[in-house]
C-alpha cells in the first residue's frame, strides 16, 4: 500500500463515518414527538394527586369538614365548611372561628386559589388567619388541589 493510497483510504473511511453520523442525528431530529396523552386521563391523575395532598398531606378536612356528635369528621359532609374546633392556648385576636366550604371551590378564581395555597394571602389581600396554615405550596400542588376541590359536588348550604 503506497502512502497516497493509504491517505485516500483513510479519507474514504472518514467521509463514510461522517455521513453515517449525520444521518443518525437527522433521524433523531425528525423523530416523531412523544405521544401526547389525551387530556382526560391527565386531568384525572391531577385530581387524584390533589385528593392525596388534601386528604393525606395537608389534611384540609381536619378543619373544613364538620364533625359529628362524637367529634369524628362527618364524611357525609366532606369539606362543606365547619366551625373552628381548636382554640389557641394563648388568646389572640387573630383566630378565625369558621373554615369555609371547599367542596366545588365555588366563589374562587384559579388565581385566588393559588394565592391562598402558594402565598397564604386571601382574596381580600390579607394573610389567611389562623388556625389555617400559611402554606407555601408549589404551583403544581396548588393546581392539583384546586382541580380536586372543583371536582367535588359543591352546592351545599353553608353550615
Ligand atoms: C388547621 C385548620 C385548617 C386547615 C388544616 C386548613 N384550613 Fe383552610 N381555613 C381554615 C380557617 C379557620 C379558615 C378561615 C381563615 C380566615 O378567615 O382568614 C380557612 C380558610 C380557607 C380558605 C378561604 C380563604 C379566604 O380568605 O377566603 C380556603 C380557600 C382554604 N382555607 C383552603 C384550605 C385548603 C385547600 C386546605 C388544605 C390544603 C386548608 N384550607 C387547610 C382552617 C384550616
Amino acid at each position: 500500500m503506497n502512502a497516497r493510497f493509504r491517505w485516500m483510504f483513510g479519507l474514504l473511511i472518514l467521509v463514510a463515518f461522517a455521513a453515517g453520523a449525520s444521518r443518525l442525528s437527522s433521524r433523531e431530529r425528525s423523530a416523531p414527538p412523544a405521544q401526547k396523552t389525551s387530556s382526560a386521563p391527565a386531568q384525572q391523575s391531577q385530581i387524584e394527586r390533589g385528593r392525596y395532598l388534601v386528604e393525606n398531606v395537608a389534611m384540609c378536612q381536619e378543619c373544613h369538614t364538620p364533625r359529628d356528635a362524637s367529634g369524628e369528621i362527618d364524611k357525609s359532609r366532606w369539606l362543606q365548611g365547619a366551625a373552628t374546633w381548636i382554640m389557641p392556648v394563648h388568646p389572640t385576636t387573630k383566630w378565625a372561628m369558621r373554615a369555609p366550604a371547599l367542596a366545588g371551590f365555588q366563589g374562587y378564581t384559579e388565581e385566588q386559589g393559588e394565592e391562598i395555597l402558594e402565598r397564604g394571602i386571601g382574596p381580600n389581600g390579607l394573610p389567611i388567619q389562623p388556625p389555617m396554615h400559611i402554606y407555601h405550596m408549589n404551583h403544581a400542588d396548588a393546581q392539583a388541589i384546586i382541580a380536586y376541590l372543583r371536582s367535588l359536588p359543591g352546592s351545599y348550604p353553608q353550615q
Side-chain angles (χ1 to χ4, degrees):
M1 219 189 263
N2 68 30
R4 195 183 142 86
F5 186 74
R6 227 182 297 155
W7 188 82
M8 289 276 284
F9 191 66
L11 197 74
L12 205 78
I13 289 179
L14 206 78
V15 167
F17 183 77
S22 90
R23 246 218 327 269
L24 208 90
S25 77
S26 80
R27 200 184 316 148
E28 259 164 33
R29 241 179 287 131
S30 63
Q35 275 284 308
K36 248 188 155 183
T37 44
S38 105
S39 75
Q43 196 196 359
Q44 195 51 42
S45 78
Q46 188 190 35
I47 290 173
E48 276 312 310
R49 176 161 173 75
R51 181 201 307 279
Y52 159 74
L53 291 170
V54 164
E55 293 184 1
N56 301 302
V57 181
M59 323 271 296
C60 318
Q61 69 275 6
E62 289 288 333
C63 302
H64 286 271
T65 301
R67 286 166 191 268
D68 61 22
S70 53
E72 298 298 324
I73 286 174
D74 180 353
K75 292 197 172 128
S76 71
R77 292 184 291 164
W78 191 247
L79 296 177
Q80 292 177 28
T84 301
W85 60 287
I86 38 179
M87 288 297 153
V89 177
H90 301 289
T92 167
T93 49
K94 284 198 195 124
W95 196 263
M97 296 309 294
R98 244 206 100 67
L102 298 180
F105 212 57
Q106 292 162 353
Y108 297 97
T109 65
E110 212 65 16
E111 291 71 31
Q112 286 171 338
E114 289 163 10
E115 193 74 354
I116 292 166
L117 296 175
E118 293 172 35
R119 303 209 311 129
I121 305 291
N124 58 5
L126 298 173
I128 302 287
Q129 302 231 49
M132 169 93 175
H133 313 284
I134 300 292
Y135 292 105
H136 291 289
M137 296 189 182
N138 70 34
H139 193 54
D141 287 349
Q143 284 179 315
I145 286 179
I146 293 167
Y148 164 63
L149 295 176
R150 288 210 197 285
S151 78
L152 299 171
S155 48
Y156 303 107
Q158 282 276 347
Q159 299 271 319

